């Protein structure tokens, strides 16, 4: 009753207090991080140079002596997943000769990469491949539903300003990828081949192509002016092109619920369960994907029945009652899969003749379904950079020019990455009382409506990927949590808990921002590469 009476009063003065406190905190925090980054810039630059100088690229060839006749393609794309297929079609449509080498061209069977946010769908439209979500029984997604301790809220995507066709899409990942591959292969200048790339071919510090084994097991070489590695989260080539710092905070356990009526049709569902979230969304007209997050790198054994027991005794009681029977039926059916959830900030070595894209380049926790949005956004950035160039053969000049890619992609990619990794930590239960207060505050903040709902959801959907907006809402949640603690009667214990809440929130988001890069994330226009012009030789558009 008291909480209900407080709500109008809270809403009346929450906004100005939040804005003032958030801005003060943000300015001082960013200033401190930026100063620290600048003080260490020389050290970091020298370290990066040393790493880049000392790196080795696996290759058994000697001098390649590549000439014009050997370079049969303009671009080699390693991998034909979402990123590789979309990239191949995009570059092929711009009249590039593209050679795609994919380890397995059969339809993939994965439990992630099934939810495309509205921001990602807008990128499909921009690339001209929106028809790839047709004829695969893809489902429209209009928002999220959030569940916690018997309470539930619906969070709608802010789609009012967009065409009626714009929404999220959810589907079978394999069906979507096959449609993308068919789209790419339909272009006469795109060659799609099954093979396993075993190494990059390097000469005098420039990547000239790849060595691979074709479908028959025969070893072959392929040459191109630019090699783009998109071989996914298990990439065996990225170590020579970046400094991979892979973190595995949890694993997803995946099931398919059949003929299940979700509480909110055409919505993703997130259950703030103990110990970590449960995610559900439709992937066809009759199937719902359920992903149970299990913290850590090990999951209960599926083979000896530990997993079945865990799902029935720990997870099932926390599910919404509408899906309980379907969940138990799916567990009894036994088609249970698991996969590790990886996050990895982008930390590339600019390498003449080569580029990383997709999950091989950058990963975030899949809770928010932002991976495909980041990949498609990166492809748009790269396409726009390459369009003015006719000739890609000058590896050094091209490499220097494409350094702008890493800066131009940052605001969108870092916003989605930071949101995913921070939100996962907030949504997990904890023995720390302050962390649990932050979790409760986040749920209640999203329930307030207005900008408290539409702002975070616009970030989640990829429709408004602005880093400063993200930070402001994140700390607004923390300040809201402190206000909830102090009203109506502050006590020393509650004040201490509020201080711990602010400290815990800072401890969650600032390390993520630091890993993403403060300057590139918030001040990209101050990075010299932001203004890099195309090489003089390539100013004419490709024909």
């Amino acid at each position: 009753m008291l909480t209900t009476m407080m709500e109008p009063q809270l809403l009346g003065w929450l906004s100005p207090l939040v804005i003032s406190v958030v801005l003060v905190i943000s300015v001082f925090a960013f200033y401190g991080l930026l100063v620290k980054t600048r003080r260490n810039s020389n050290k970091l630059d020298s370290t990066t140079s040393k790493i880049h100088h000392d790196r080795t690229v696996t290759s058994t060839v000697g001098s390649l002596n590549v000439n014009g006749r050997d370079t049969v393609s303009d671009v080699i794309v390693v991998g034909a997943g979402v990123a590789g297929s979309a990239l191949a079609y995009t570059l092929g449509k711009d009249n590039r000769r593209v050679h795609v080498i994919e380890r397995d061209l059969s339809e993939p069977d994965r439990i992630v990469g099934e939810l495309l946010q509205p921001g990602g769908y807008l990128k499909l439209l921009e690339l001209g491949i929106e028809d790839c979500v047709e004829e695969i029984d893809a489902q429209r997604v209009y928002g999220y539903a959030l569940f916690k301790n018997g309470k539930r809220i619906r969070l709608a995507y802010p789609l009012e300003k967009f065409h009626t066709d714009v929404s999220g899409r959810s589907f079978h990942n394999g069906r979507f990828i096959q449609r993308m591959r068919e789209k790419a292969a339909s272009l006469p200048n795109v060659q799609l081949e099954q093979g396993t790339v075993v190494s990059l071919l390097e000469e005098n510090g420039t990547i000239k192509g790849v060595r691979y084994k074709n479908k028959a097991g025969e070893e072959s070489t392929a040459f191109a002016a630019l090699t783009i590695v998109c071989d996914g989260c298990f990439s065996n080539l990225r170590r020579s092109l970046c400094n991979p710092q892979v973190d595995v905070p949890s694993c997803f356990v995946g099931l398919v619920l059949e003929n299940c009526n979700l509480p909110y049709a055409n919505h993703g569902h997130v259950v703030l369960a103990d110990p970590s979230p449960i995610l559900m969304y439709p992937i066809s007209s009759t199937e719902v994907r359920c992903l149970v997050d299990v913290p850590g790198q090990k999951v209960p054994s599926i083979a000896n029945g530990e997993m079945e027991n865990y799902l029935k005794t720990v997870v099932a009681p926390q599910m919404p009652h509408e899906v309980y029977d379907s969940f138990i039926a799916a567990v009894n059916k036994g088609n249970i899969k698991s996969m590790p959830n990886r996050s990895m900030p982008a930390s590339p070595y600019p390498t003449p003749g080569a580029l990383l894209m997709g999950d091989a380049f950058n990963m975030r926790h899949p809770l928010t379904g932002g991976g495909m949005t980041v990949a498609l956004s990166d492809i748009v950035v790269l396409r726009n950079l390459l369009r003015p160039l006719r000739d890609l053969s000058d590896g050094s000049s091209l490499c220097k020019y494409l350094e702008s890619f890493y800066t131009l992609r940052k605001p969108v990619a870092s916003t989605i990455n930071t949101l995913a990794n921070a939100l996962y930590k907030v949504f997990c239960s904890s023995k720390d009382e302050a962390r649990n207060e932050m979790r409760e505050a986040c749920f209640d903040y999203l329930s307030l409506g207005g900008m408290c709902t539409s702002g975070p959801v616009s970030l989640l959907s990829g429709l408004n990927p602005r880093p400063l907006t993200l930070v402001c809402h994140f700390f607004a949640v923390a300040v809201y949590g402190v206000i909830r603690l102090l009203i109506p009667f502050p006590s020393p214990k509650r004040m201490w808990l509020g201080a711990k809440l602010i400290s815990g929130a800072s401890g969650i988001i600032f390390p993520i921002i630091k890993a993403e890069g403060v300057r590139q994330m918030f001040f990209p226009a101050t990075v010299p590469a932001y203004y890099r012009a195309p090489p003089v030789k390539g100013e004419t558009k490709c024909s």
Side-chain angles (χ1 to χ4, degrees), residues 10-234:
L10 266 176
L11 291 175
W13 54 271
L14 175 63
S15 296
L17 178 62
V18 166
I19 292 171
S20 60
V21 173
V22 167
L23 287 178
V24 170
I25 292 174
S26 300
V27 167
F28 279 101
F30 295 156
Y31 178 78
L33 280 173
L34 187 59
V35 168
K36 184 175 181 181
T37 303
R38 286 178 174 173
R39 284 176 179 172
N40 292 327
S41 61
N42 291 335
K43 181 179 178 181
L44 289 172
D45 289 343
S46 62
T47 302
T48 303
S49 298
K50 183 177 184 298
I51 292 172
H52 183 58
H53 177 73
D54 292 344
R55 69 181 178 82
T56 58
V57 178
T58 305
S59 178
T60 57
V61 298
S63 178
L64 297 175
N65 295 322
V66 178
N67 56 45
R69 290 170 299 179
D70 295 321
T71 307
V72 296
S73 303
D74 297 312
V75 180
I76 291 173
V77 177
V78 181
V82 172
S85 299
L87 181 63
Y89 175 78
T90 300
L91 297 181
K93 196 169 63 170
D94 282 352
N95 294 324
R96 308 283 186 192
R97 294 167 298 165
V98 183
H99 184 184
V100 186
I101 305 173
E102 162 60 35
R103 182 182 59 83
D104 186 359
L105 286 174
S106 61
E107 183 175 312
D109 184 13
R110 302 182 66 204
I111 63 173
V112 293
E114 298 173 315
L115 178 60
L116 181 67
Q117 297 289 0
Y121 183 77
L122 289 176
K123 296 303 176 184
L124 286 185
L125 289 170
E126 198 169 344
L127 295 171
I129 51 178
E130 69 279 4
D131 57 335
C132 290
V133 296
E134 298 173 1
E135 301 177 6
I136 58 172
D137 200 14
Q139 303 297 298
R140 291 174 180 261
V141 179
Y142 296 110
Y144 275 85
L146 213 56
F147 298 79
K148 186 179 185 297
N149 297 335
K151 298 184 292 183
R152 56 180 67 185
I153 54 175
R154 188 177 75 89
L155 309 172
Y157 290 141
L159 300 173
E160 298 82 6
K161 297 180 180 179
F162 297 93
H163 187 272
T164 54
D165 192 48
V166 176
S167 66
R169 295 290 196 281
S170 53
F171 38 69
H172 281 271
N173 172 266
R175 296 176 186 174
F176 180 56
I177 286 178
Q178 290 301 90
R179 286 280 287 157
M180 301 269 274
R181 289 172 177 173
E182 292 168 5
K183 184 88 171 176
S186 67
L187 297 177
N189 51 320
V190 175
Q191 176 190 357
L192 189 60
E193 179 181 5
Q194 183 164 306
T196 302
V197 175
V198 295
S199 64
L200 302 175
L201 303 180
E202 180 183 1
E203 183 183 62
N204 299 325
T206 299
I207 303 301
K208 297 292 187 179
V210 299
R211 183 181 298 280
Y212 70 102
K213 291 184 178 179
N214 61 23
K215 189 175 182 180
E218 302 166 341
E219 193 166 277
S220 302
T221 54
F223 302 104
L226 180 61
T227 299
I228 304 178
V229 177
C230 311
D231 56 345
C233 61
F234 299 104

Side-chain angles (χ1 to χ4, degrees), residues 211-508:
R211 183 181 298 280
Y212 70 102
K213 291 184 178 179
N214 61 23
K215 189 175 182 180
E218 302 166 341
E219 193 166 277
S220 302
T221 54
F223 302 104
L226 180 61
T227 299
I228 304 178
V229 177
C230 311
D231 56 345
C233 61
F234 299 104
S235 173
N236 64 338
L237 299 175
R238 67 169 162 235
R239 190 166 296 277
S240 59
L241 300 174
C242 74
N243 179 26
Q245 298 174 342
V246 180
D247 181 36
V248 184
S250 67
C251 298
F252 265 159
V253 176
L255 307 95
V256 173
L257 314 186
E258 297 178 340
N259 300 309
C260 171
N261 293 319
L262 289 169
Y264 298 91
N266 299 104
H267 281 67
H269 292 60
V270 180
V271 182
L272 302 190
D274 185 7
S276 52
I278 302 165
L279 181 61
M280 294 178 287
Y281 48 84
I283 54 174
S284 74
S285 54
T286 60
E287 298 166 301
V288 169
R289 170 66 70 195
C290 177
L291 296 172
V292 178
D293 186 85
V294 179
Q297 300 183 19
K298 293 184 178 180
V299 298
S301 172
I302 297 176
N304 65 14
E306 288 180 5
M307 178 62 75
E308 181 178 343
N309 181 63
Y310 176 81
L311 294 174
K312 286 183 176 180
T313 60
V314 177
V315 178
Q318 303 182 75
M319 299 290 283
H321 64 86
E322 294 95 332
V323 302
Y324 180 86
D325 291 340
S326 297
F327 181 79
I328 293 296
V331 174
N332 288 335
K333 189 174 182 180
N335 188 20
I336 302 171
K337 299 179 180 180
S338 67
M339 68 160 291
N341 294 323
R342 291 174 163 81
S343 64
M344 184 185 77
S347 183
Y349 304 141
T351 305
L355 198 68
L356 276 170
M357 300 271 304
D359 282 351
F361 174 46
N362 183 206
M363 295 180 282
R364 78 290 310 148
H365 196 283
L367 174 68
T368 59
M372 289 188 287
T373 301
V374 171
L376 294 169
S377 175
D378 284 353
I379 292 169
V380 170
V381 172
L382 182 63
R383 178 201 63 182
N384 293 341
L385 287 172
L386 292 180
R387 266 187 171 170
L389 307 181
R390 177 191 297 275
D391 184 9
L392 305 178
S393 61
D394 188 345
S396 297
S397 297
L398 181 63
C399 177
K400 191 171 182 65
Y401 170 58
L402 289 182
E403 285 179 12
S404 60
F405 166 75
Y406 303 118
T407 301
L408 293 171
R409 70 176 292 274
K410 261 302 179 183
V412 172
S414 60
T415 301
I416 294 173
N417 295 344
T418 303
L419 176 65
N421 294 332
L423 202 59
Y424 174 71
K425 292 183 178 181
V426 171
F427 278 1
C428 287
S429 65
S430 172
K431 295 180 181 179
D432 183 357
E433 189 178 359
R435 286 283 293 273
N436 285 328
E437 283 291 340
M438 181 73 176
R439 188 188 196 208
E440 188 72 33
C442 184
F443 185 90
D444 290 347
Y445 181 85
L446 292 170
S447 305
L448 293 176
M451 279 302 299
C452 298
T453 299
S454 62
V457 176
S458 68
L459 292 165
L460 176 68
S461 63
L463 296 173
N464 180 34
R466 297 182 181 178
L468 190 57
T469 302
L470 167 61
V471 173
C472 286
H473 278 291
F474 187 83
F475 278 103
V477 170
V479 172
Y480 178 69
V482 173
I483 293 173
R484 291 171 69 255
L485 286 169
L486 299 184
I487 290 179
F489 305 112
S491 66
K493 180 181 178 181
R494 286 174 170 266
M495 292 174 67
W496 174 244
L497 187 57
K500 287 180 63 180
L501 193 156
I502 294 291
S503 175
S506 302
I508 288 174

